[in-house]
Amino acid sequence: MSAQLISGVALSEQLRAEIAQRTAVLSAAGKQPGLAVILVGDDPASQVYVRNKVKACADVGFHSILEKYDAQLSEQALLERIASLNADPAIHGILVQMPLPKHIDSTRVIEAISTRKDVDGFSVLSAGELASGLPGFQPCTPYGCMKMIASTGIDLRGKHAVVIGRSNTVGKPMALMLLQANATVTICHSATADLAWHTRQADVVVAAVGRRNMLTADMVKPGAIVIDVGMNRDDAGKLCGDVDFAGVREVASHITPVPGGVGPMTITMLLMNTLEAAERLHP
Ligand code: GUN
């Protein structure tokens, strides 16, 4: 049996149509949502990401600004720019693209963003809100993964979810969101003794490692939901995830493809967070 595909493209299209509708309501009342995207340096992948984010804003009717700075920009200058965006009433979300050049302390930069505009959900306060089950901004990638799981119609209550990866941006918040949805959660990582033993028990596996083919068919319980957060290149230079897609799709009940899976959802949830930031400010 071949798994059902969870298309991030199709789900994004649905969600972005809803975002565009809610945006039109706000804009008609003179409260158009606005996102500021800041890029420091000329990392080619980051250039593509920020371009996609700004284009997505235009597509749903947001106001957006893209500010690109030379890699030599001082930390102080960046902090001052964030302070002025914090005070700008036309801006509801501020996103500083990571990674930043080494001379800039990224924690200090993230913490400088107003809590009400932290649409990446990367700040210590946002992380604490998520951990405490309080409303706040949720990091976009795991938030998108939750929407993809919800789209299967399968209730997570009592299910066993295994998250592979423990980053602050994906693995840890993913585990907390699954817990919040009443799953029993295991977090596996590079020091886990027998990864396959864990993944074989899982009703849901989220792979967020950054190594291709790290999840193979023999590691997956028949009928599991498999979410692939990986963004890797194969030998031919083609984009691929962490999951051996051809093998695992024969075992899983639902699987996300790469490309066209989690990737588009990340930007969609950034739009959702920005919309919600604007709605919270103008209830
Ligand atoms: N770099 C890679 N992904 C992200 C993201 O989601 N947000 C930010 N700010 N930087 C990133």
Side-chain angles (χ1 to χ4, degrees):
M1 187 198 74
S2 201
Q4 231 172 294
L5 281 194
I6 309 175
S7 166
V9 175
L11 187 53
S12 283
E13 218 169 277
Q14 264 177 40
L15 289 168
R16 290 187 198 197
E18 179 198 323
I19 292 167
Q21 265 178 12
R22 282 161 64 183
T23 297
V25 172
L26 280 179
S27 297
K31 299 160 186 170
Q32 184 186 28
L35 177 70
V37 179
I38 297 179
L39 174 63
V40 185
D42 49 16
D43 175 63
S46 292
Q47 302 254 18
V48 174
Y49 293 146
V50 296
R51 217 176 26 241
N52 289 342
K53 288 170 186 176
V54 168
K55 183 182 177 301
C57 283
D59 290 346
V60 294
F62 285 5
H63 162 63
S64 69
I65 53 177
L66 172 56
E67 298 189 1
K68 292 187 181 181
Y69 296 101
D70 189 275
Q72 313 325 316
L73 181 77
S74 73
E75 182 179 295
Q76 190 53 36
L78 180 56
L79 293 174
E80 282 166 18
R81 188 62 198 122
I82 290 171
S84 97
L85 289 167
N86 281 343
D88 184 342
I91 295 299
H92 304 93
I94 301 171
L95 182 143
V96 180
Q97 186 66 25
M98 301 292 158
L100 286 167
K102 287 199 170 45
H103 68 278
I104 298 179
D105 180 342
S106 54
T107 301
R108 198 173 293 157
V109 169
I110 291 166
E111 294 306 314
I113 296 170
S114 161
T115 303
R116 291 186 304 280
K117 301 190 179 187
D118 176 30
V119 288
D120 256 332
F122 286 173
S123 70
V124 171
L125 190 92
S126 294
E129 285 171 335
L130 175 59
S132 308
L134 296 169
F137 292 114
Q138 305 193 16
C140 304
T141 299
Y143 190 11
C145 293
M146 290 302 286
K147 290 280 184 196
M148 296 180 98
I149 296 169
S151 78
T152 67
I154 295 167
D155 185 2
L156 282 167
R157 172 177 289 273
K159 297 287 194 297
H160 186 184
V162 170
V163 178
I164 317 170
R166 54 174 157 178
S167 68
N168 286 338
T169 50
V170 183
K172 282 185 213 164
M174 184 80 243
L176 289 166
M177 290 177 204
L178 290 161
L179 183 64
Q180 190 72 32
N182 297 309
T184 300
V185 183
T186 301
I187 305 176
C188 296
H189 46 78
S190 51
T192 296
D194 188 347
L195 176 65
W197 182 86
H198 290 280
T199 57
R200 280 190 208 113
Q201 331 262 327
D203 303 303
V204 179
V205 183
V206 181
V209 174
R211 196 172 72 237
R212 85 180 155 105
N213 291 340
M214 58 83 45
L215 190 79
T216 48
D218 57 304
M219 299 167 73
V220 176
K221 178 162 110 174
I225 300 174
V226 176
I227 308 291
D228 190 351
V229 185
M231 286 256 267
N232 312 299
R233 298 271 166 194
D234 67 12
D235 293 332
K238 243 182 75 198
L239 194 64
C240 65
D242 289 349
V243 175
D244 170 23
F245 183 80
V248 172
R249 75 177 303 180
E250 297 306 323
V251 181
S253 67
H254 298 79
I255 187 168
T256 65
V258 177
V262 173
M265 289 299 290
T266 295
I267 297 189
T268 300
M269 302 327 290
L270 170 68
L271 299 172
M272 188 69 87
N273 277 347
T274 305
L275 172 69
E276 285 175 2
E279 286 176 342
R280 277 177 213 172
L281 207 64
H282 309 290

